[in-house]
Amino acid sequence: QTPVCIITGASSGIGLWATRALMARGWHVVMACRDTAKAEAAAREIGLAPEGRTIMQLDLGTLSGVRGFVSEFRMLGRPLDALVCNAATYMPRLTAPLRSPEGYELSVAINYFGHFLLANLLLEDLGRARDPRLVTLGTVTANSEEFGGRIPIPAPADLGDFEGLKAGFKDPVAMIDGNPFKPGKAYKDSKLACMMMSRELHARFHDRTGIVFTTLYPGCVADTPLFRHAPRAFQRIFPWFQKNVTGGYVSQPLAGERVADVVADPAFARSGVHWSWGNRQREGREAFAQSLSPKATDAARARELWDLTARLVGLE
Ligand code: NDP
């Protein structure tokens, strides 16, 4: 039977190229995208055969949208072997927070809350597969073990004592730690929360369900549309800098292959792991299990974050 993977945010960048890489390995990919017309155009542009993919509408920024997507996916009658929590928005130039229909700050709502709800709802479906995997895109900027995670512009990821979540995360609250709104930090915080979510999924469900929960940092894919809201000069200089100065640059096709490895390759069947290929790219470099900062690995904090989030997304 053809294995099936849902990839969120497959209309561009890493998700699109991961779709291609998985299809090349014989998988059927459900491209779960906010803008289905854009996804169709992108799929055609890189030559993804229509029979190997299904494009479905998913707006992660609305809780009802996530629930509606899960119902519609089930109506397809397909099995589910893997879920890739990939979509994200990065809006570093906002001066005031945007809000989801529920009133939550939008980047955390899309990147973290939407995936938290989606992952929880699909556990049941994944649990029926033979080698199920739930893969979440992490990032170096959310791991203070590494240089990229200590950059103080605008501030490193830090969820404080979850004061903002405890206060309900609605206006005037805009940050998980309850501090004043910093859009670039909101992105980093959302990614740290996603990485904690993956570890907590592992702690709660791996033994019971056999699902392999992992995160990965595919490298710095500096030319994806993720940076479309950054200043134009940044968009020009950043890829050059990553290629020629840090050596961290990874192409979109290679990043897609790395995601596909973590989804499909037996070498990546270890749950609770954060996979990395390092920050300086070298030809033929093997993946390794990267250690994460105490901010990401503290089990009591991960449990508390889980409980607070479950309440905010209506799972309790
Ligand atoms: P892209 O901007 O190319 O892709 C992001 C995708 O998320 C797009 O398809 C976008 O759709 C989708 N998306 C945004 N908002 C929503 C929403 N509300 N509902 C559903 N989908 C949505 O970025 P990348 O490919 O670079 O990023 C993919 C992932 O990789 C992210 O999680 C990012 O944090 C992570 N990552 C990226 C790195 C990089 O260097 N680029 C490095 C490490 C991690 P639309 O086009 O409609 O907005």
Side-chain angles (χ1 to χ4, degrees):
Q1 199 179 18
T2 306
V4 176
C5 178
I6 295 175
I7 303 182
T8 66
S11 61
S12 74
I14 299 167
L16 177 66
W17 290 92
T19 301
R20 192 171 91 154
L22 275 173
M23 284 175 62
R25 297 173 196 208
W27 284 61
H28 186 90
V29 178
V30 174
M31 303 169 71
C33 298
R34 171 162 64 177
D35 180 341
T36 52
K38 179 179 170 184
E40 181 60 44
R44 278 179 196 213
E45 196 180 320
I46 67 163
L48 302 182
E51 59 277 14
R53 54 172 167 91
T54 302
I55 295 174
M56 290 183 65
Q57 213 273 333
L58 167 63
D59 184 348
L60 285 158
T62 85
L63 299 176
S64 59
V66 173
R67 288 186 177 278
F69 168 82
V70 172
S71 310
E72 282 186 23
F73 170 73
R74 288 180 179 151
M75 284 195 282
L76 292 180
R78 286 190 180 271
L80 183 64
D81 297 275
L83 167 65
V84 179
C85 296
N86 164 77
T89 187
Y90 171 59
M91 299 177 282
R93 288 203 289 173
L94 289 180
T95 50
L98 299 176
R99 298 280 167 185
S100 74
E102 289 79 18
Y104 301 139
E105 187 281 315
L106 193 57
S107 49
V108 168
I110 292 173
N111 304 354
Y112 173 50
F113 289 175
H115 281 128
F116 184 96
L117 180 59
L118 183 68
N120 271 279
L121 297 177
L122 289 175
L123 285 177
E124 189 188 323
D125 308 68
L126 282 169
R128 290 192 284 269
R130 203 171 42 80
D131 174 18
R133 300 198 192 173
L134 197 162
V135 176
T136 304
L137 270 287
T139 174
V140 71
T141 49
N143 183 17
S144 59
E145 281 285 276
E146 300 181 75
F147 175 70
R150 291 194 290 270
I151 294 174
I153 308 167
D158 184 359
L159 310 186
D161 286 325
F162 314 121
E163 292 87 341
L165 299 184
K166 288 174 186 161
F169 208 56
K170 293 185 184 174
D171 192 31
V173 178
M175 300 292 286
I176 293 178
D177 64 9
N179 284 325
F181 184 55
K182 282 188 185 161
K185 178 174 181 289
Y187 167 80
K188 294 184 194 179
D189 286 355
S190 73
K191 300 305 292 183
L192 173 57
C194 283
M195 289 158 83
M196 291 170 74
M197 169 188 83
S198 177
R199 296 182 64 84
E200 188 60 13
L201 280 164
H202 166 73
R204 286 181 190 231
F205 300 109
H206 174 65
D207 285 347
R208 212 186 314 161
T209 63
I211 300 170
V212 168
F213 299 99
T214 52
T215 52
L216 79 146
Y217 173 62
C220 185
V221 200
D223 51 11
T224 73
L226 184 68
F227 305 99
R228 72 191 105 155
H229 303 296
R232 278 193 186 286
F234 176 89
Q235 292 182 45
R236 267 200 311 274
I237 293 164
F238 189 53
W240 178 88
F241 183 76
Q242 292 294 344
K243 279 178 193 160
N244 300 300
V245 181
T246 68
Y249 174 80
V250 169
S251 71
Q252 297 181 51
L254 178 56
E257 289 294 340
R258 289 177 171 176
V259 173
D261 283 345
V262 179
V263 169
D265 193 311
F268 294 84
R270 267 167 62 201
S271 191
V273 172
H274 176 67
W275 295 105
S276 172
W277 285 256
N279 292 321
R280 278 195 160 271
Q281 303 301 315
R282 270 184 266 123
E283 191 71 32
R285 181 143 190 197
E286 298 279 320
F288 61 93
Q290 164 93 55
S291 62
L292 294 177
S293 69
K295 277 183 186 169
T297 56
D298 183 317
R301 282 176 58 78
R303 276 197 299 278
E304 189 180 8
L305 176 61
W306 178 281
D307 291 340
L308 288 164
T309 310
R311 223 163 292 147
L312 293 172
V313 302
L315 278 174
E316 277 183 356

